[in-house]
Amino acid sequence: EPAAVPADLTEWLQAHPGLTSTKASSLQVDNVPARQMESALATGARDPLRLVSGGGEALALASGEKAHIVVTETGLVIAAVGPEAQFDALFDEIEGVVGSLALQQ
């Protein structure tokens, strides 16, 4: 049974004992305020994001993977997951994609 999505997802992720996360920083996604952070599983932890996403459909992390997570003020969650060892190179690509997003209502 999936857990309810927390009111402040970035705060919840930062406080979760199963994750190691960076401090969230602010950004704009197509002029919509958002916060971004990076997270990885803590040693021996199971994926807490599966509990929120209902079995991992939206986002799942495995040992040795890292996620870059962007949460907009409107509730849109953008995430990219990749191997920790290659994540710095992946992040450069992620930044370009997030910066070029055009949101429609």
Side-chain angles (χ1 to χ4, degrees), residues 49-65:
L49 300 178
R50 288 181 186 271
L51 301 177
V52 173
S53 65
E57 304 88 5
L59 178 61
L61 281 174
S63 179
E65 291 181 330

Side-chain angles (χ1 to χ4, degrees), residues 34-88:
R35 295 193 315 162
Q36 65 181 346
M37 60 187 291
E38 292 179 7
S39 295
L41 286 182
T43 304
R46 73 175 204 178
D47 183 359
L49 300 178
R50 288 181 186 271
L51 301 177
V52 173
S53 65
E57 304 88 5
L59 178 61
L61 281 174
S63 179
E65 291 181 330
K66 195 172 186 179
H68 182 81
I69 303 166
V70 177
V71 181
T72 70
E73 188 177 81
T74 59
L76 174 67
V77 177
I78 305 161
V81 178
E84 271 189 274
Q86 289 89 29
F87 202 78
D88 288 343

Side-chain angles (χ1 to χ4, degrees), residues 6 28 31 104:
Q28 297 277 318
N31 295 317
Q104 296 181 359

